[in-house]
């Protein structure tokens, strides 16, 4: 099935349009990661994943226009740029007789290049804004699927707090969407150590494909991550931070191990990444419970408890604290 057919099945048969639609969506950090596509046209993953949304995100406004226009943080984006092409290739599926072109204005609360999954909050905000523009009145389940078709991890940014992206088993992906766990953990803290703001050389789609096709270690990844997702969920329910931390660290390391064993090797870290990891491990030995996770980039995301905030900030003065966001979206 192709993307267009799936989208047509999700949208109401007829819709009206307002003058504009506007929405905000949070970024999310995967605690057990999405790495590998079962279907690359529909972004159906090889394994389920579990994430947490943070307080920063993307605000997007969309309106009918005479020609396609895209501005990011107040600056017009060139029509031949990667961001523009990706956005309008997706929006091609939503053009109607009365809305043949779109003007999209987006504001990212964190730097686009900081490796903080801004495509997740961007596609989630876009889908929510279109839901308003076209008055679709879609459920969170369908909005999550639409966001997934823009960028896989975006399906989790439709939700708030802990979001579980069920990989699903159906070929059209109609059971591959994120739901939110009905749990808040107010003492949980997160932060980001920016070790580089350079754009990564290998994007996640290409990186996943290379790992799935060439890495002999990839064979263990999907089943082991499914197992870790279950264990992680249990640790969240019990609010057992040590087990939570061990699982998120282990899952991130396993993902990077599968990447390293690819041909050619995929290595997203830099020297600062390693220095940060070593410091985290030293701190842990001295009794500060702090655990890292890393995505397809060199920046290190840290998780710790509120009680250790001061110690963590003293150890990492450049840490960018980002509070988890638990306020529930209505289901
Ligand atoms: O949604 P994508 O294509 O940007 O992939 C995200 C991949 C990771 O960030 C590495 C993991 C994840 O689950 O978010």
């Amino acid at each position: 099935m192709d993307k267009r057919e799936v989208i047509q099945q999700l949208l109401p048969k007829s819709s009206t349009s307002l003058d504009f639609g506007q929405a905000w969506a949070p970024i999310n950090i995967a605690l057990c990661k999405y790495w590998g596509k079962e279907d690359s046209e529909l972004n159906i993953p090889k394994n389920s994943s579990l994430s947490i949304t943070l307080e920063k995100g993307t605000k997007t406004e969309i309106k009918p226009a005479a020609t396609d226009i895209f501005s990011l943080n107040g600056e017009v984006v060139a029509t031949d740029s990667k961001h523009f092409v990706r956005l309008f290739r997706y929006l091609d599926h939503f053009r109607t007789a009365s809305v043949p072109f779109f003007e999209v204005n987006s504001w990212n609360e964190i730097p686009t290049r900081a490796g903080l999954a801004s495509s997740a909050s961007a596609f989630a905000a876009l889908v929510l804004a279109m839901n308003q523009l076209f008055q679709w009145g879609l459920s969170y389940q369908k909005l999550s699927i639409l966001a997934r078709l823009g960028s896989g991890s975006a399906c989790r940014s439709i939700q708030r707090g802990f979001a579980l992206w069920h990989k699903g088993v159906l070929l059209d992906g109609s059971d591959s969407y994120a739901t939110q766990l009905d749990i808040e953990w107010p003492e949980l803290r997160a932060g980001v150590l920016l070790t580089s703001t350079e754009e990564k050389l290998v994007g996640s789609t290409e990186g996943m494909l290379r790992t799935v096709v060439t890495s002999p270690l990839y064979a263990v990844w999907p089943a082991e991550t499914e197992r870790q997702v279950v264990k992680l969920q249990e640790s969240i329910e019990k609010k057992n931070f040590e087990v939570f931390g061990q699982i998120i660290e282990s899952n991130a390391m396993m993902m990077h191990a599968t990447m390293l064993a690819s041909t050619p090797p995929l290595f997203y870290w830099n020297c600062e990444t390693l220095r940060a990891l070593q410091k985290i491990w030293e701190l842990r030995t001295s009794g500060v419970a702090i655990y890292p996770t890393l995505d397809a980039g060199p920046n290190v995301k840290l998780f710790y408890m509120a009680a250790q905030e001061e110690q963590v900030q003293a150890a990492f003065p450049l840490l960018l604290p980002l509070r988890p966001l638990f306020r529930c979206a209505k289901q």
Side-chain angles (χ1 to χ4, degrees), residues 226-239:
E226 290 295 340
R227 197 188 67 80
Q228 287 187 328
V229 165
V230 174
K231 294 270 168 225
L232 183 65
Q233 209 175 322
E234 277 168 23
S235 75
I236 294 167
E237 280 156 12
K238 291 184 185 146
K239 301 219 163 89

Side-chain angles (χ1 to χ4, degrees), residues 39-163:
D39 181 325
S40 47
E41 163 80 4
L42 301 179
N43 290 337
I44 298 176
K46 291 264 188 201
N47 59 274
S48 303
S49 55
L50 209 165
S51 65
I52 188 161
T53 52
L54 302 182
E55 62 184 1
K56 298 269 193 250
T58 305
K59 187 176 113 181
T60 290
E61 185 185 272
I62 184 164
K63 44 190 173 196
T67 182
D68 288 336
I69 308 172
F70 175 34
S71 82
L72 186 57
N73 300 331
E75 279 179 34
V76 174
V77 177
T79 53
D80 59 355
S81 77
K82 218 170 62 183
H83 285 312
F84 187 100
V85 172
R86 185 171 179 197
L87 171 67
F88 285 99
R89 199 171 283 160
Y90 179 70
L91 285 177
D92 280 345
H93 300 300
F94 301 93
R95 300 185 197 275
T96 62
S98 58
V99 188
F101 300 104
F102 296 98
E103 177 179 334
V104 178
N105 301 305
S106 272
W107 294 266
N108 267 344
E109 293 163 345
I110 36 152
T112 309
R113 289 181 171 185
L116 286 168
S118 52
S119 71
S121 53
F123 276 98
L126 179 70
V127 164
L128 293 168
M130 278 200 287
N131 190 43
Q132 193 183 77
L133 173 72
F134 289 114
Q135 298 282 288
W136 292 327
L138 292 178
S139 64
Y140 278 88
Q141 183 174 317
K142 287 188 174 166
L143 292 168
S144 176
I145 294 176
L146 282 181
R148 188 197 79 225
L149 295 166
S151 170
S153 55
C155 74
R156 299 184 310 232
S157 279
I158 293 288
Q159 303 292 6
R160 297 282 198 278
F162 294 108

